[in-house]
Amino acid sequence: MEMRARFFVIGLSFLGLLLVINLVRTRRLKEEFAILWLLTAASLVLLPVFVDVVDAIAYAVGIEYPPAFVFLIALLGVIFILFQFSVSISRY
């Protein structure tokens, strides 16, 4: 990934992280939901920094196209967030 693209993705991810923190601070997002969102936003900030490590992990797992590994991790993150919502909704 080109350095310009890395800085762009890091900047957008950092803005997302600040948005989640601001929503928790203003009590528009409950803390129980914020944990996964904060982890997701933090991983989005760190992902472009360690893109070479992500590529190495993808090849070690047997995935030939590293962006597919990133999409797999993103899909798993969304599934965990949906699972958290399902558990929360089931309590009521």
Side-chain angles (χ1 to χ4, degrees):
M1 180 183 287
E2 205 175 307
M3 194 58 78
R4 216 174 25 178
R6 285 185 190 194
F7 285 132
F8 181 70
V9 172
I10 289 170
L12 284 179
S13 302
F14 191 68
L15 285 175
L17 183 63
L18 289 176
L19 175 69
V20 171
I21 291 171
N22 188 37
L23 288 174
V24 172
R25 187 182 60 80
T26 58
R27 301 217 183 264
R28 291 175 36 197
L29 180 64
K30 289 184 178 182
E31 291 84 6
E32 65 179 309
F33 300 124
I35 293 170
L36 278 177
W37 285 114
L38 287 172
L39 287 174
T40 302
S43 66
L44 286 175
V45 169
L46 295 176
L47 188 68
V49 176
F50 299 109
V51 74
D52 297 328
V53 175
V54 173
D55 289 347
I57 293 171
Y59 287 124
V61 173
I63 298 174
E64 295 294 324
Y65 186 60
F69 181 67
V70 174
F71 284 121
L72 174 67
I73 298 301
L75 180 65
L76 288 174
V78 169
I79 288 173
F80 283 134
I81 290 171
L82 289 174
F83 182 71
Q84 182 185 21
F85 288 159
S86 297
V87 169
S88 178
I89 290 170
S90 297
R91 279 192 239 153
Y92 299 111

